[in-house]
């Protein structure tokens, strides 16, 4: 079975722009979570979705939004990009108690 | 929310050496995962270990939930073990995971 996939792999944007990141979970997994990892830190929780409903939100501004589609894939949207949004964005799908992470999207904001 | 502290923050080993990484957490948990983040950023699942001890090849992990800590043992380390090791208990229920700052391991040939 394929693991969690994310696209794009890398992305360069300028301040003020908008970005959409995509994630496809492992087949059969209905829950998707998004994390942001800045350099030198551990990942920090942004959103969790289960069966297309938001189940949790971390301490991030309203510029961050997400949604989950009927096929359980998910999008993370970030508006009005700031330099501080430069990070590795990780998507995880979960089955029972275990989360499995994708390879991430590395976002650079100039 | 739950706090996670990992030690040591950095560790340099000669190939073949053994090591123990520690994870302390501030609240009781009902599960905990260990991950290895490789130099390309991929988080690789090592263990799901809410309590007790598990072994997988050269790696083993022990969680003592009542004392709020978990240990990751790496034996006969190899250069491919290099990277950052994270432990991550959940904030509530089973998700989201809360990560510490990790232990950065460098194994030198």
């Amino acid at each position: 079975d394929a693991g969690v996939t994310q696209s794009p792999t890398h992305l360069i944007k300028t301040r003020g722009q908008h970005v959409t990141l995509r994630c496809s979970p492992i087949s059969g997994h209905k829950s998707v979570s998004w994390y942001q990892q800045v350099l030198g830190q551990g990942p920090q929780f942004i959103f969790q979705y289960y069966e297309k409903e938001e189940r949790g939100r971390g301490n991030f501004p309203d510029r961050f939004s997400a949604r989950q589609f009927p096929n359980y894939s998910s999008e993370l949207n970030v508006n009005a990009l700031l330099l501080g949004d430069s990070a590795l964005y990780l998507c995880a799908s979960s089955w029972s108690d275990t989360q499995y992470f994708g390879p991430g999207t590395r976002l650079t904001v100039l | 929310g739950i706090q996670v502290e990992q030690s040591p923050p950095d560790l340099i080993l000669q190939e073949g050496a053994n090591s123990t990484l520690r994870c302390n957490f501030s609240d009781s948990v009902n599960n905990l995962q260990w991950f290895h983040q490789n130099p390309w950023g991929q988080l690789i699942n090592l263990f799901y270990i809410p309590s007790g001890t598990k072994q997988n090849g050269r790696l083993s992990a022990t969680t003592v939930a009542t004392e709020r800590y978990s240990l990751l043992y790496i034996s006969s380390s190899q250069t491919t073990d290099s990277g950052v090791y994270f432990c991550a208990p959940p904030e509530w229920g089973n998700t989201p995971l809360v990560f510490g700052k990790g232990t950065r391991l460098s194994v030198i040939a």
Side-chain angles (χ1 to χ4, degrees):
Chain A
D1 274 345
V4 178
T5 59
Q6 293 186 241
S7 63
T9 305
H10 295 85
L11 204 50
I12 299 175
K13 292 285 189 178
T14 56
R15 281 177 294 175
Q17 286 190 310
H18 162 272
V19 68
T20 298
L21 310 180
R22 295 178 174 83
C23 170
S24 291
I26 293 170
S27 177
H29 289 195
K30 299 179 179 180
S31 178
V32 169
S33 299
W34 287 95
Y35 294 79
Q36 180 197 63
Q37 185 178 20
V38 298
L39 201 60
Q41 302 292 320
Q44 187 175 0
F45 171 70
I46 310 175
F47 286 108
Q48 185 199 9
Y49 277 79
Y50 179 77
E51 292 273 21
K52 297 173 288 180
E53 290 191 4
E54 182 182 303
R55 288 295 182 91
R57 171 187 283 255
N59 187 22
F60 280 80
D62 291 344
R63 300 184 295 106
F64 288 77
S65 63
R67 56 180 175 167
Q68 187 177 31
F69 299 98
N71 66 355
Y72 305 113
S73 67
S74 178
E75 282 183 355
L76 176 70
N77 295 284
V78 187
N79 293 324
L81 285 167
L82 304 174
L83 296 179
D85 295 331
S86 294
L88 179 67
Y89 288 85
L90 295 161
C91 172
S93 72
S94 58
W95 172 257
S96 186
D97 296 341
T98 305
Q99 293 202 18
Y100 300 87
F101 284 81
T105 293
R106 195 167 297 276
L107 172 65
T108 302
V109 182
L110 301 176
Chain B
I2 192 168
Q3 305 294 315
V4 178
E5 286 189 13
Q6 291 187 243
S7 59
D10 295 281
L11 186 59
I12 300 174
L13 295 177
Q14 202 74 30
E15 199 170 26
N18 303 328
S19 62
T20 300
L21 282 56
R22 186 176 180 101
C23 169
N24 293 330
F25 38 92
S26 60
D27 207 348
S28 58
V29 298
N30 58 8
N31 78 62
L32 182 139
Q33 290 186 246
W34 280 95
F35 297 92
H36 172 216
Q37 188 166 42
N38 66 22
W40 298 271
Q42 175 78 56
L43 275 169
I44 300 163
N45 289 57
L46 297 177
F47 293 101
Y48 165 77
I49 184 163
S51 63
T53 297
K54 288 186 178 180
Q55 179 147 11
N56 184 4
R58 297 181 295 104
L59 274 58
S60 65
T62 295
T63 295
V64 184
T66 53
E67 297 187 21
R68 301 179 184 176
Y69 73 89
S70 184
L71 302 173
L72 179 69
Y73 306 94
I74 305 174
S75 63
S76 304
S77 57
Q78 301 175 358
T79 56
T80 52
D81 295 332
S82 296
V84 184
Y85 289 81
F86 290 102
C87 72
E91 176 70 50
W92 32 260
N94 293 319
T95 56
L97 297 179
V98 178
F99 289 79
K101 293 186 176 181
T103 292
R104 181 172 298 276
L105 174 65
S106 298
V107 180
I108 301 170

